[in-house]
Amino acid sequence: MRITVAGLGVSGISAARALAGLGAVVTVVDGGDSGTHRERAAELAEEGISVRLGDASTLPEGTGLVVTSPGWKPDSPLFAAAAEAGVDVIGDVEVAWRLRGPDAAPWLAITGTNGKTTTTQMLASILRAAGLRTAAVGNIGTPIVDVVLGEETYDVLAVELSSYQLHWAPSLRAHSAAVLNLAPDHLDWHGSMEAYAADKGRIYEGNTVACVYNVADPATEDLVREADVEEGCRAIGFTLGSPGPSQLGVVDGILVDRAFVANRQKNAQELAEVGDIDPPAPHNIANALAAAALARAFGVEPKAVRDGLRAFTPDAHRIAHVADVDAVAYVDDSKATNTHAAEASLAAYEPIVWIAGGLAKGASFDALVRRSAKRLRGVVLIGAERHLIAEALARHAPEVPVVDVGRTDTGAMSEAVREAAGLAKPGDTVLLAPACASMDMFTNYNKRGEAFAEAVRELAAERA
């Protein structure tokens, strides 16, 4: 088969190599033509894979299938050309699913607007604690095609899936899956909130054991109701409150299971303590409950849930405590790149001096500011679209002091931290939870978080 791969990124290269290795005639197309693009193209050319740079709109002659990288929009000209030619478009996750062997490991799948990576890594930690061979894959770590075709064998995979990946994976059927939450994000890609939610909901299609949903987010339960699942598959809720039957929740600081126990109408199983979760912020407890639900759906014993959560260490820039300076805590949550994530971060502390701003991605900040206003000691704004947050603050928190850092170079973070220090009082938390993407000032959210941490260290050294 002649296969066109859209995109010369990590997943595109992985898919191209895998498909060429199986005998396909592969052409990779990408609109870029930088030095990096040319280097990657040269490497693939040595392996017999054609690469066309600078033109990503026309379909190579004879194409029988298009495999897209996750970020390519559905309305891309290349896909319009494929549709006109009657050629299917699928993603790398769909490729991996189709290429699984007869004894392939089941998938425990996770999606949601926020918390996907943390929950997937928590799940993998729990599965390892149970003695299972596993890996956290999909939207994180090793490309899933490489894992499926690799020599290493697994008992089960913890699979993080973005809405982009789910859009292009029509035949995926997981053992069990979770949608952690739903909030407006990537609407420029999906076109509407309804389309975004529908793509998220694809993760439940064909589930065999459990569809895990967030009791506090009814939209996730709605997706379960709409899904076509295997007979006997159960809806399992997670909640920060006391759980009902077929739910996991929290009672007196204990994570408990009333879903995977005998006589769940009357019985509950202790899984872990809130103190076993790092950090024990409310949204991270919810992540742990979702991970525990998926693990329990796979038959993992309670002790492994506790041990796996204790062993888990979160990635950098996720509500990470950097330092205390003059009795003020400085916390880096640069990963909070949308309003939903920022609201969860803000809910974990009080009082707060909030550092926010960047690229808004079309978001509105009114609801975020309205619900978080009482926690704010002050706000320091950075980034290209900081004025949108400033306008929301003027409408819903006019009494909160706001400092506007006008510069948009990377050195603006040092100024922002110093301004925040001037607003903070002992016992406060200075929180970087931008609610925006970082690319106006930084390469990515990691670089933004590193700049914040470095600025805090400089402040600490000066005041030591």
Side-chain angles (χ1 to χ4, degrees), residues 165-247:
Q165 290 171 314
L166 286 163
H167 181 89
W168 302 114
S171 67
L172 169 67
R173 300 293 183 265
H175 173 286
S176 299
V179 179
L180 304 176
N181 42 61
L182 278 174
D185 200 20
H186 305 302
L187 301 190
D188 55 341
W189 195 95
H190 292 276
S192 69
M193 185 63 194
E194 291 74 20
Y196 172 65
D199 281 335
K200 289 290 191 187
R202 288 185 181 215
I203 203 168
Y204 289 136
E205 291 298 317
N207 281 196
T208 59
V209 176
C211 295
V212 178
Y213 67 92
N214 185 347
V215 174
D217 192 339
T220 63
E221 187 175 7
D222 291 341
L223 294 178
V224 176
R225 291 195 183 96
E226 295 164 6
D228 184 10
V229 301
E230 292 293 317
E231 185 175 354
C233 182
R234 297 169 56 201
I236 305 297
F238 64 90
T239 173
L240 294 178
S242 179
S246 293
Q247 295 180 353

Side-chain angles (χ1 to χ4, degrees), residues 112-168:
T113 303
N114 294 299
K116 296 184 295 296
T117 298
T118 297
T119 304
T120 304
Q121 292 172 334
M122 282 180 169
L123 174 59
S125 183
I126 293 169
L127 295 171
R128 283 191 291 268
L132 296 165
R133 294 168 298 174
T134 191
V137 299
N139 201 39
I140 57 174
T142 305
I144 196 164
V145 172
D146 294 351
V147 172
V148 167
L149 295 180
E151 295 182 0
E152 190 167 355
T153 58
Y154 297 96
D155 298 309
V156 58
L157 293 174
V159 186
E160 176 189 334
L161 296 172
S162 70
S163 56
Y164 301 161
Q165 290 171 314
L166 286 163
H167 181 89
W168 302 114

Side-chain angles (χ1 to χ4, degrees), residues 330 353-356 380-382 403 405 407 411-423 430 432 452 455:
Y330 289 78
V353 177
W354 180 30
I355 300 179
V380 179
L381 296 176
I382 61 173
V403 176
V405 176
R407 55 194 288 195
M413 187 61 76
S414 180
E415 182 178 339
V417 167
R418 292 175 186 278
E419 293 287 357
L423 293 172
V430 171
L432 173 67
F452 173 79

Side-chain angles (χ1 to χ4, degrees), residues 224-390:
V224 176
R225 291 195 183 96
E226 295 164 6
D228 184 10
V229 301
E230 292 293 317
E231 185 175 354
C233 182
R234 297 169 56 201
I236 305 297
F238 64 90
T239 173
L240 294 178
S242 179
S246 293
Q247 295 180 353
L248 282 74
V250 182
V251 178
D252 296 331
I254 304 296
L255 274 64
V256 296
D257 172 7
R258 289 189 65 188
F260 302 99
V261 293
N263 192 6
R264 55 184 178 270
Q265 295 295 330
K266 297 181 179 179
N267 295 338
Q269 171 66 56
E270 179 178 330
L271 299 177
E273 297 181 5
V274 167
D276 294 324
I277 301 167
D278 178 24
H283 64 290
N284 215 35
I285 298 170
N287 293 338
L289 288 165
L294 289 171
R296 294 286 283 160
F298 197 69
V300 167
E301 293 298 316
K303 181 179 181 297
V305 174
R306 181 199 66 191
D307 293 347
L309 291 176
R310 286 179 176 176
F312 171 72
T313 301
D315 282 351
H317 315 301
R318 291 167 168 81
I319 49 176
H321 181 267
V322 177
D324 288 335
V325 182
D326 296 338
V328 173
Y330 289 78
V331 175
D332 167 18
D333 197 15
S334 184
K335 182 62 172 67
T337 58
N338 57 49
T339 57
H340 188 268
E343 184 174 345
S345 188
L346 287 162
Y349 305 96
E350 187 176 6
I352 298 165
V353 177
W354 180 30
I355 300 179
L359 291 176
K361 300 183 292 182
S364 167
F365 299 92
D366 288 272
L368 169 63
V369 171
R370 186 170 58 250
R371 290 193 283 258
S372 305
K374 66 179 186 295
R375 297 177 174 273
L376 300 178
R377 173 84 69 193
V379 180
V380 179
L381 296 176
I382 61 173
E385 295 184 288
R386 62 192 183 279
H387 65 281
L388 297 175
I389 304 177

